[in-house]
Amino acid sequence: GYVQLVVDEQNGKANVTVSPGDQLRHECRIEAWQDAELVAIASFVVEEGGARTHEFTFPPAETAFRVYDGDSLVLNDCGEELSVHLWIDVPQGSQAG
C-alpha cells in the first residue's frame, strides 16, 4: 500500500501515489524504462502525514517502472502482465452401491 501506480501506456501517462504514513519526509524518484533504456525520470518530495499523487509522462509504449524512496527501491514493475490461475477441487459424492 506504500506505492500505487496507475498506468496509461498508450498515452504515455502514469499517476504515482505515495502514502508514507507517519514518516517525516520522503524524497521519491520514478523511472520509466523501455527496451532496457531509461526514457523518463521524475523526482518529488512527500511530506509527513498523507499521500501525494504525482503525474508522470513518458513516451507511449510498453514501459517498466521503478519507484525509489531515497536509495531504496520500493516498486519494481517489470512490465509483465500478471495473471492468476485458480483451481478448485470439488469432492465427488460417494456412490451407493
Short mmCIF file of all heavy atoms in Angstrom, two decimals, residues 24-53:
data_model
loop_
_atom_site.label_atom_id
_atom_site.label_comp_id
_atom_site.label_asym_id
_atom_site.label_seq_id
_atom_site.Cartn_x
_atom_site.Cartn_y
_atom_site.Cartn_z
N LEU A 24 8.60 11.21 8.33
CA LEU A 24 8.75 12.65 8.17
C LEU A 24 8.79 13.13 6.73
O LEU A 24 8.00 13.94 6.32
CB LEU A 24 10.00 13.12 8.92
CG LEU A 24 9.94 12.99 10.44
CD1 LEU A 24 11.24 13.44 11.06
CD2 LEU A 24 8.77 13.80 10.99
N ARG A 25 9.71 12.67 5.95
CA ARG A 25 9.92 13.21 4.61
C ARG A 25 10.46 12.12 3.70
O ARG A 25 11.33 11.35 4.11
CB ARG A 25 10.90 14.38 4.68
CG ARG A 25 11.22 15.02 3.37
CD ARG A 25 12.24 16.14 3.60
NE ARG A 25 12.80 16.63 2.37
CZ ARG A 25 12.35 17.70 1.72
NH1 ARG A 25 11.32 18.36 2.18
NH2 ARG A 25 12.94 18.10 0.62
N HIS A 26 9.96 12.08 2.49
CA HIS A 26 10.41 11.08 1.53
C HIS A 26 10.80 11.77 0.24
O HIS A 26 10.01 12.53 -0.32
CB HIS A 26 9.30 10.06 1.25
CG HIS A 26 8.95 9.25 2.44
ND1 HIS A 26 9.50 8.03 2.68
CD2 HIS A 26 8.12 9.49 3.46
CE1 HIS A 26 9.02 7.54 3.81
NE2 HIS A 26 8.18 8.42 4.30
N GLU A 27 12.01 11.53 -0.20
CA GLU A 27 12.46 12.01 -1.50
C GLU A 27 12.33 10.85 -2.47
O GLU A 27 13.08 9.88 -2.40
CB GLU A 27 13.89 12.52 -1.40
CG GLU A 27 13.99 13.74 -0.52
CD GLU A 27 15.38 14.32 -0.44
OE1 GLU A 27 16.24 13.95 -1.28
OE2 GLU A 27 15.62 15.14 0.45
N CYS A 28 11.33 10.95 -3.34
CA CYS A 28 10.97 9.85 -4.23
C CYS A 28 11.43 10.14 -5.66
O CYS A 28 11.56 11.28 -6.07
CB CYS A 28 9.46 9.64 -4.21
SG CYS A 28 8.84 9.23 -2.58
N ARG A 29 11.65 9.05 -6.38
CA ARG A 29 12.05 9.14 -7.79
C ARG A 29 11.35 8.03 -8.54
O ARG A 29 11.28 6.90 -8.07
CB ARG A 29 13.57 9.01 -7.91
CG ARG A 29 14.08 9.11 -9.32
CD ARG A 29 15.61 9.06 -9.37
NE ARG A 29 16.10 7.68 -9.26
CZ ARG A 29 16.76 7.19 -8.22
NH1 ARG A 29 17.01 7.94 -7.17
NH2 ARG A 29 17.18 5.94 -8.22
N ILE A 30 10.80 8.36 -9.71
CA ILE A 30 10.21 7.33 -10.57
C ILE A 30 10.98 7.33 -11.88
O ILE A 30 11.35 8.38 -12.40
CB ILE A 30 8.70 7.55 -10.79
CG1 ILE A 30 8.14 6.44 -11.69
CG2 ILE A 30 8.39 8.93 -11.32
CD1 ILE A 30 6.65 6.41 -11.80
N GLU A 31 11.24 6.11 -12.37
CA GLU A 31 11.93 5.93 -13.64
C GLU A 31 11.05 5.11 -14.57
O GLU A 31 10.38 4.17 -14.14
CB GLU A 31 13.24 5.19 -13.44
CG GLU A 31 14.21 5.87 -12.51
CD GLU A 31 15.44 5.03 -12.24
OE1 GLU A 31 15.47 3.83 -12.58
OE2 GLU A 31 16.38 5.59 -11.64
N ALA A 32 11.06 5.46 -15.85
CA ALA A 32 10.36 4.69 -16.88
C ALA A 32 11.42 4.07 -17.80
O ALA A 32 12.32 4.77 -18.28
CB ALA A 32 9.43 5.59 -17.68
N TRP A 33 11.28 2.77 -18.03
CA TRP A 33 12.24 2.02 -18.85
C TRP A 33 11.51 1.37 -20.02
O TRP A 33 10.45 0.78 -19.85
CB TRP A 33 12.91 0.93 -18.01
CG TRP A 33 13.79 1.46 -16.94
CD1 TRP A 33 13.41 1.96 -15.72
CD2 TRP A 33 15.20 1.59 -16.99
NE1 TRP A 33 14.50 2.38 -15.00
CE2 TRP A 33 15.61 2.16 -15.75
CE3 TRP A 33 16.16 1.28 -17.94
CZ2 TRP A 33 16.95 2.41 -15.47
CZ3 TRP A 33 17.49 1.53 -17.64
CH2 TRP A 33 17.87 2.09 -16.42
N GLN A 34 12.09 1.51 -21.21
CA GLN A 34 11.57 0.86 -22.40
C GLN A 34 12.73 0.19 -23.12
O GLN A 34 13.74 0.84 -23.40
CB GLN A 34 10.88 1.87 -23.33
CG GLN A 34 9.66 2.50 -22.70
CD GLN A 34 9.09 3.64 -23.52
OE1 GLN A 34 9.66 4.06 -24.53
NE2 GLN A 34 7.95 4.15 -23.09
N ASP A 35 12.60 -1.10 -23.38
CA ASP A 35 13.67 -1.87 -24.04
C ASP A 35 15.02 -1.68 -23.35
O ASP A 35 16.04 -1.40 -23.98
CB ASP A 35 13.78 -1.49 -25.52
CG ASP A 35 12.52 -1.87 -26.29
OD1 ASP A 35 11.93 -2.93 -25.99
OD2 ASP A 35 12.13 -1.09 -27.19
N ALA A 36 15.01 -1.79 -22.02
CA ALA A 36 16.22 -1.69 -21.17
C ALA A 36 16.90 -0.33 -21.27
O ALA A 36 18.08 -0.20 -20.98
CB ALA A 36 17.20 -2.81 -21.51
N GLU A 37 16.16 0.70 -21.67
CA GLU A 37 16.70 2.05 -21.74
C GLU A 37 15.85 2.99 -20.91
O GLU A 37 14.61 2.97 -20.99
CB GLU A 37 16.70 2.52 -23.20
CG GLU A 37 17.29 3.89 -23.39
CD GLU A 37 17.30 4.29 -24.87
OE1 GLU A 37 17.45 3.41 -25.74
OE2 GLU A 37 17.14 5.49 -25.13
N LEU A 38 16.49 3.83 -20.09
CA LEU A 38 15.79 4.82 -19.29
C LEU A 38 15.27 5.91 -20.21
O LEU A 38 16.03 6.57 -20.90
CB LEU A 38 16.73 5.41 -18.24
CG LEU A 38 16.15 6.45 -17.30
CD1 LEU A 38 15.06 5.85 -16.41
CD2 LEU A 38 17.25 7.06 -16.44
N VAL A 39 13.92 6.10 -20.23
CA VAL A 39 13.33 7.07 -21.15
C VAL A 39 12.72 8.27 -20.44
O VAL A 39 12.46 9.29 -21.08
CB VAL A 39 12.26 6.41 -22.06
CG1 VAL A 39 12.90 5.38 -22.98
CG2 VAL A 39 11.14 5.78 -21.24
N ALA A 40 12.49 8.18 -19.14
CA ALA A 40 11.95 9.32 -18.39
C ALA A 40 12.25 9.12 -16.91
O ALA A 40 12.32 8.00 -16.42
CB ALA A 40 10.45 9.45 -18.62
N ILE A 41 12.42 10.25 -16.23
CA ILE A 41 12.69 10.22 -14.79
C ILE A 41 12.07 11.47 -14.17
O ILE A 41 12.05 12.53 -14.79
CB ILE A 41 14.20 10.13 -14.51
CG1 ILE A 41 14.48 9.88 -13.04
CG2 ILE A 41 14.93 11.34 -15.03
CD1 ILE A 41 15.93 9.50 -12.74
N ALA A 42 11.55 11.32 -12.97
CA ALA A 42 10.99 12.47 -12.25
C ALA A 42 11.24 12.27 -10.77
O ALA A 42 11.22 11.16 -10.26
CB ALA A 42 9.50 12.60 -12.51
N SER A 43 11.47 13.38 -10.06
CA SER A 43 11.68 13.36 -8.62
C SER A 43 10.62 14.23 -7.95
O SER A 43 10.20 15.24 -8.52
CB SER A 43 13.06 13.88 -8.27
OG SER A 43 14.05 13.06 -8.83
N PHE A 44 10.20 13.83 -6.76
CA PHE A 44 9.23 14.61 -6.00
C PHE A 44 9.39 14.28 -4.53
O PHE A 44 9.97 13.27 -4.17
CB PHE A 44 7.79 14.37 -6.47
CG PHE A 44 7.37 12.93 -6.47
CD1 PHE A 44 6.62 12.42 -5.42
CD2 PHE A 44 7.70 12.09 -7.51
CE1 PHE A 44 6.23 11.10 -5.41
CE2 PHE A 44 7.31 10.76 -7.52
CZ PHE A 44 6.56 10.26 -6.45
N VAL A 45 8.89 15.16 -3.67
CA VAL A 45 9.01 15.02 -2.23
C VAL A 45 7.62 14.79 -1.65
O VAL A 45 6.66 15.45 -2.05
CB VAL A 45 9.65 16.26 -1.60
CG1 VAL A 45 9.64 16.18 -0.08
CG2 VAL A 45 11.07 16.43 -2.11
N VAL A 46 7.54 13.86 -0.70
CA VAL A 46 6.30 13.61 0.03
C VAL A 46 6.56 13.94 1.49
O VAL A 46 7.48 13.40 2.10
CB VAL A 46 5.84 12.13 -0.12
CG1 VAL A 46 4.56 11.90 0.66
CG2 VAL A 46 5.67 11.77 -1.57
N GLU A 47 5.77 14.85 2.03
CA GLU A 47 5.91 15.26 3.42
C GLU A 47 5.12 14.33 4.33
O GLU A 47 4.29 13.54 3.87
CB GLU A 47 5.45 16.70 3.60
CG GLU A 47 6.25 17.72 2.80
CD GLU A 47 7.69 17.89 3.27
OE1 GLU A 47 8.03 17.47 4.38
OE2 GLU A 47 8.48 18.46 2.49
N GLU A 48 5.31 14.47 5.62
CA GLU A 48 4.69 13.64 6.65
C GLU A 48 3.16 13.70 6.60
O GLU A 48 2.58 14.74 6.30
CB GLU A 48 5.15 14.11 8.02
CG GLU A 48 4.49 13.41 9.18
CD GLU A 48 4.90 14.01 10.51
OE1 GLU A 48 5.52 15.07 10.53
OE2 GLU A 48 4.59 13.38 11.51
N GLY A 49 2.54 12.57 6.90
CA GLY A 49 1.11 12.51 7.16
C GLY A 49 0.22 12.71 5.96
O GLY A 49 -0.56 13.64 5.90
N GLY A 50 0.30 11.88 5.01
CA GLY A 50 -0.61 12.00 3.89
C GLY A 50 -0.04 11.34 2.66
O GLY A 50 1.06 10.81 2.68
N ALA A 51 -0.81 11.41 1.61
CA ALA A 51 -0.39 10.82 0.35
C ALA A 51 -0.18 11.94 -0.65
O ALA A 51 -0.74 13.02 -0.53
CB ALA A 51 -1.46 9.85 -0.15
N ARG A 52 0.63 11.65 -1.64
CA ARG A 52 0.84 12.60 -2.72
C ARG A 52 0.77 11.83 -4.02
O ARG A 52 1.37 10.77 -4.17
CB ARG A 52 2.18 13.29 -2.60
CG ARG A 52 2.42 14.16 -3.83
CD ARG A 52 3.45 15.19 -3.65
NE ARG A 52 3.57 15.93 -4.91
CZ ARG A 52 4.64 16.60 -5.25
NH1 ARG A 52 5.67 16.64 -4.44
NH2 ARG A 52 4.68 17.23 -6.39
N THR A 53 0.03 12.39 -4.98
CA THR A 53 -0.04 11.80 -6.30
C THR A 53 0.74 12.68 -7.27
O THR A 53 0.57 13.90 -7.28
CB THR A 53 -1.50 11.66 -6.77
OG1 THR A 53 -2.19 10.81 -5.85
CG2 THR A 53 -1.58 11.05 -8.16
#
